[in-house]
Amino acid sequence: MAFSDTKMGTETHIQANPLERDHGAPEIIEGNGVRTDGIVDLNGRAVTTVEELEAAKKGRFAFFKSRNFYVVLVLGQVLALCLTATNTFSALLVMEGTSIPAFQTFFNYVLLNLIFTSYTIYRYGFKGYCRFLWTQGWKYVILSFCDVEGNYFTVLAYRYTTILSAQLINFWAIVLVVIISFLFLKVRYHLAQIIGILICIGGLGILIGSDHITGTNQYDVSSGDQLKGDLFALLGATFYGFANVAEEFLASERPLYEVVGQLGFWGMIINGVQAGIFDRESFQSATWNGAVGGYLVGYTLALTLFYSIAPVVFRMGSAAFFNISLLTGNFWGVVIGVKVFGLTIYYLYPIAFVCIVGGLVIYFIGKQVLGEAVKPWLGRNQEKGVSGVGTARRRVERPDALV
């Protein structure tokens, strides 16, 4: 469905640009829509398509020379830090006697809904938003369901199985993302990417081995039914894999505020129903005090930031890059744990961190100047995609923009 590109008499759609196409209301309104030329080909002509840009800046290390490489690398680590923060707040809640895995995530979806859905309604108009829900909402119901269940079963797994076992099973999410992207999104991985992924996984293996040697988190102790916990971890990783690929696909075609807003809207409903069913007893027996309130606020803010940045990483990178970027979370967790839980950093941790970051760099060897921002399902010049933050189309149309 298409929406008007004109809002309150201001033209925001650049009709002269051959790449332009309706994808909801425009994601970004920038002045009068005049393009600032900053990239030229070998003949001095302004670059106007993705193909022309890649032809103008060739080379095995072309992506390393672009600012987008450093931006996506840093954003990946910001996501890892956000995830580490949520894990830390969850651990602090459990130490206070409050374990409400479904309910504590509910506030995140509420906040996302308030921020992004409100803006979506403002951009589309109420009637336009209702029409959008009627025709496109089902896609986001599926995405939100996978995301909510991935969160729920992953947290639930830690009640029954060991942390070591759950983390090893979470590798399945990376494998599943690669398989789904290859089969359905026509993504083709070259040798450097496969090697980079394996090196990142090897780095996490060093982290896990270090924790096993030092006895951190009591990896050898199961808190309940080991098999049940392993199955929950496998189910959670599977839901995560599908959710990650689905979000990358939708974020490439639709405005960011629409995707995150819908994730918050439907996630709030699904998660709220689930929390009401499964967390009632835990909620009643939980400890409620000022510290718990502060931890819930910290958890919600960190997770909301995570969900807000993730679509940009999916656009500039991919679901596979997103997942391997999060592997450094264990390292950041110990760094934070030094102050919060009194942990010590074993000498293998810095080695593992360097290994994972090195794998992330190797992953992009051989990529063109736009890296993984060029999505194969959007057409040769990304004409089927939205022009928004982090997309290849925006890089061509707005070469002066940061992302």
Side-chain angles (χ1 to χ4, degrees):
M1 131 175 226
F3 295 91
S4 174
D5 296 323
T6 305
K7 185 170 184 64
M8 300 174 63
T10 302
E11 183 70 25
T12 61
H13 212 58
I14 308 172
Q15 299 293 348
N17 195 307
L19 293 177
E20 201 61 61
R21 173 179 172 160
D22 294 340
H23 295 278
E27 180 169 294
I28 304 170
I29 299 177
E30 297 177 299
N32 59 7
V34 178
R35 180 183 182 277
T36 303
D37 292 320
I39 302 177
V40 296
D41 61 16
L42 296 177
N43 297 318
R45 295 175 300 184
V47 169
T48 59
T49 68
V50 170
E51 284 187 316
E52 290 176 357
L53 176 57
E54 292 190 331
K57 296 189 175 184
K58 293 183 178 180
R60 185 173 296 274
F61 301 101
F63 188 53
F64 295 124
K65 299 176 182 179
S66 71
R67 61 174 174 267
N68 282 14
F69 165 71
Y70 301 98
V71 171
V72 73
L73 197 65
V74 170
L75 287 180
Q77 293 313 295
V78 171
L79 290 179
L81 283 168
C82 288
L83 195 60
T84 301
T86 62
N87 292 337
T88 302
F89 284 121
S90 294
L92 291 170
L93 285 169
V94 172
M95 291 172 63
E96 289 288 334
T98 301
S99 178
I100 44 174
F103 185 76
Q104 72 185 49
T105 308
F106 174 74
F107 297 109
N108 165 63
Y109 292 116
V110 171
L111 188 55
L112 289 174
N113 186 47
L114 288 174
I115 297 172
F116 292 98
T117 300
S118 299
Y119 186 68
T120 304
I121 294 174
Y122 165 73
R123 296 300 301 275
Y124 292 174
F126 184 74
K127 290 184 179 180
Y129 180 73
C130 291
R131 289 196 299 270
F132 158 74
L133 284 181
W134 181 255
T135 58
Q136 305 290 331
W138 63 272
K139 301 176 183 178
Y140 294 102
V141 172
I142 297 174
L143 169 63
S144 300
F145 178 80
C146 290
D147 185 72
V148 169
E149 299 311 318
N151 287 332
Y152 180 76
F153 283 109
T154 298
V155 174
L156 191 61
Y158 287 98
R159 290 186 180 179
Y160 301 98
T161 189
T162 62
I163 297 177
L164 171 60
S165 181
Q167 287 182 331
L168 289 174
I169 292 174
N170 281 338
F171 282 138
W172 169 242
I174 299 176
V175 176
L176 189 61
V177 161
V178 171
I179 293 174
I180 296 175
S181 298
F182 181 86
L183 293 177
F184 296 102
L185 299 185
K186 300 178 181 180
V187 176
R188 296 297 177 259
Y189 297 92
H190 53 70
L191 182 60
Q193 288 179 293
I194 300 299
I195 293 175
I197 291 174
L198 293 177
I199 291 176
C200 288
I201 291 176
L204 182 58
I206 295 174
L207 286 174
I208 293 175
S210 175
D211 286 337
H212 185 66
I213 292 172
T214 59
T216 303
N217 295 326
Q218 299 180 346
Y219 284 146
D220 294 325
V221 179
S222 174
S223 57
D225 190 328
Q226 178 84 34
L227 178 60
K228 182 189 293 186
D230 289 347
L231 290 176
F232 282 151
L234 183 62
L235 193 58
T238 301
F239 277 121
Y240 272 142
F242 280 105
N244 291 162
V245 176
E247 187 170 358
E248 180 187 358
F249 177 80
L250 290 170
S252 68
E253 291 194 334
R254 308 296 301 182
L256 184 149
Y257 55 80
E258 177 190 296
V259 176
V260 182
Q262 284 294 285
L263 188 56
F265 178 75
W266 296 109
M268 178 183 66
I269 297 173
I270 297 170
N271 184 260
V273 171
Q274 190 160 319
I277 296 174
F278 297 107
D279 272 0
R280 284 184 298 176
E281 294 183 4
S282 299
F283 185 83
Q284 293 172 356
S285 61
T287 300
W288 298 101
N289 53 40
V292 168
Y295 297 151
L296 284 174
V297 170
Y299 176 88
T300 300
L301 293 177
L303 198 56
T304 298
L305 180 61
F306 179 91
Y307 274 80
S308 301
I309 296 176
V312 180
V313 175
F314 284 131
R315 285 176 171 183
M316 300 181 71
S318 64
F321 177 79
F322 170 85
N323 278 276
I324 59 177
S325 293
L326 298 182
L327 296 182
T328 57
N330 280 42
F331 172 81
W332 296 120
V334 171
V335 171
I336 293 176
V338 170
K339 292 292 185 181
V340 179
F341 303 113
L343 302 179
T344 58
I345 297 181
Y346 194 55
Y347 76 94
L348 288 178
Y349 270 86
I351 297 175
F353 180 78
V354 172
C355 186
I356 294 174
V357 173
L360 294 174
V361 173
I362 292 174
Y363 180 85
F364 283 116
I365 290 179
K367 280 292 181 181
Q368 298 297 322
V369 66
L370 293 172
E372 288 190 307
V374 178
K375 310 297 183 182
W377 60 90
L378 297 181
R380 297 178 67 180
N381 285 308
Q382 307 296 280
E383 61 274 6
K384 298 178 183 178
V386 69
S387 177
V389 176
T391 63
R393 282 184 57 181
R394 177 167 167 79
R395 179 78 175 101
V396 174
E397 296 170 6
R398 292 284 179 176
D400 57 318
L402 178 61
V403 291

